[in-house]
Amino acid sequence: MTELIGRFHPVLVHLPIGILLLAGLFQLLALKPKYASLHAATSIALFWGMISAILSCISGYLLSQSGDYDEELVNTHKWFAIATASISLIAYLFNRWENEFAKWVILLMIPLIIITGHLGGSLTHGSDYLTKGFSNEEESTGKEIIPIADVQEANVYADIVQPIFESKCYGCHNKSKKKGGLRLDEPAFILKGGKDGEVIKPGSADESDMMRRLLLPRNDEDHMPPKEKPQLKDNEIALLHWWIATGATFDKKTKDLE
């Protein structure tokens, strides 16, 4: 039940962002005499924004218990979220009491919303999400796969396998987002696996969970990557199969493997 409630966080979290920012806009306009009537609307917006912010904090906390996200970043996001919810409560009370500091509290609330929202976006999309649009590299990872000049001298993991993970897998399995408790951004984490155990069995590609999931029908809920994400090409799947079948090494060159 707690996991189910936590999964409503992405739905709930947009409510306080929109409503509280609207309250801030109303407050700014209400500073002018001709918009003084917006004072009542500001109070209503603050009330519902406060309620939705509190619900978002609760659902976000429950979602964070899954362990699928970077703990340090989650904690930072959590405390900024709590601060935002607290400030929205104070802003609502001050506004109702017509306290002269109400407008300053509301204005303080706006940067908190922006920072909290950015931290939440970093958890789900990566810390460079806002800057990816300025790059010509692949959207899913920010790293371009380049041709290998001498395949026989290439490091199998660093030059062949890792770029595949970076372009197709890092979106869900990295330091900040560990879907299923799995990270694929470092060798130790690849070998460790996720919540369901090991994802690769060196020397036994056909028995590896990674290969099983890659080869499932795209509409299967266990298929990886998720159907809405960029999919691995047949030759990329074949390369991963070959890498695992030959021992899933991280330091050998192509010429050293069959």
Side-chain angles (χ1 to χ4, degrees):
M1 181 59 69
T2 57
E3 183 178 355
L4 176 63
I5 296 173
R7 290 183 180 276
F8 278 95
H9 182 66
V11 177
L12 292 172
V13 75
H14 293 87
L15 295 175
I17 293 175
I19 298 173
L20 292 176
L21 287 178
L22 187 63
L25 175 61
F26 285 167
Q27 177 61 40
L28 288 174
L29 291 174
L31 294 176
K32 297 182 178 180
K34 66 177 180 178
Y35 295 117
S37 59
L38 284 175
H39 178 76
T42 303
S43 183
I44 295 172
L46 285 172
F47 175 77
W48 288 110
M50 170 194 66
I51 295 298
S52 58
I54 294 173
L55 293 176
S56 294
C57 284
I58 295 172
S59 61
Y61 172 76
L62 294 176
L63 182 62
S64 71
Q65 298 307 295
S66 66
D68 289 347
Y69 302 92
D70 178 60
E71 185 176 349
E72 182 178 350
L73 187 56
V74 164
N75 283 333
T76 304
H77 176 59
K78 177 180 69 177
W79 287 113
F80 268 98
I82 292 173
T84 302
S86 301
I87 288 294
S88 68
L89 172 59
I90 295 171
Y92 169 70
L93 294 175
F94 276 21
N95 190 71
R96 283 292 303 272
W97 298 336
E98 298 186 354
N99 188 292
E100 61 178 314
F101 292 106
K103 60 183 178 182
W104 301 112
V105 176
I106 294 174
L107 293 177
L108 173 63
M109 182 178 65
I110 295 176
L112 281 175
I113 295 171
I114 295 172
I115 295 172
T116 305
H118 171 68
L119 291 171
S122 297
L123 281 170
T124 56
H125 301 294
S127 58
D128 59 345
Y129 179 69
L130 291 177
T131 60
K132 281 183 180 179
F134 299 100
S135 172
N136 292 324
E137 297 176 350
E138 292 196 3
E139 179 183 358
S140 60
T141 65
K143 182 176 179 64
E144 180 182 5
I145 296 180
I146 58 176
I148 299 173
D150 187 347
V151 175
Q152 293 301 316
E153 292 296 328
N155 179 287
V156 175
Y157 172 72
D159 297 326
I160 299 175
V161 174
Q162 188 176 30
I164 297 175
F165 287 160
E166 285 181 308
S167 64
K168 302 295 171 62
C169 307
Y170 279 13
C172 294
H173 303 289
N174 56 70
K175 181 180 179 181
S176 62
K177 186 178 182 182
K178 304 183 286 287
K179 189 173 182 181
L182 174 65
R183 285 178 59 176
L184 294 175
D185 57 329
E186 292 184 20
F189 294 117
I190 295 172
L191 294 175
K192 179 181 178 181
K195 291 180 179 179
D196 296 328
E198 296 178 343
V199 293
I200 65 170
K201 291 186 177 182
S204 302
D206 293 333
E207 297 179 10
S208 296
D209 190 56
M210 177 182 290
M211 295 308 306
R212 181 185 69 81
R213 289 176 178 269
L214 288 173
L215 295 172
L216 285 172
R218 187 166 179 173
N219 290 327
D220 192 298
E221 63 178 12
D222 289 331
H223 172 80
M224 290 296 162
K227 62 181 180 180
E228 66 274 8
K229 299 285 187 178
Q231 300 295 303
L232 276 74
K233 300 175 182 177
D234 290 343
N235 62 340
E236 292 174 328
I237 294 176
L239 284 169
L240 292 181
H241 187 281
W242 165 71
W243 174 64
I244 297 173
T246 53
T249 59
F250 295 91
D251 55 358
K252 289 187 177 181
K253 295 182 178 181
T254 305
K255 66 181 182 181
D256 299 327
L257 304 178
E258 294 183 6

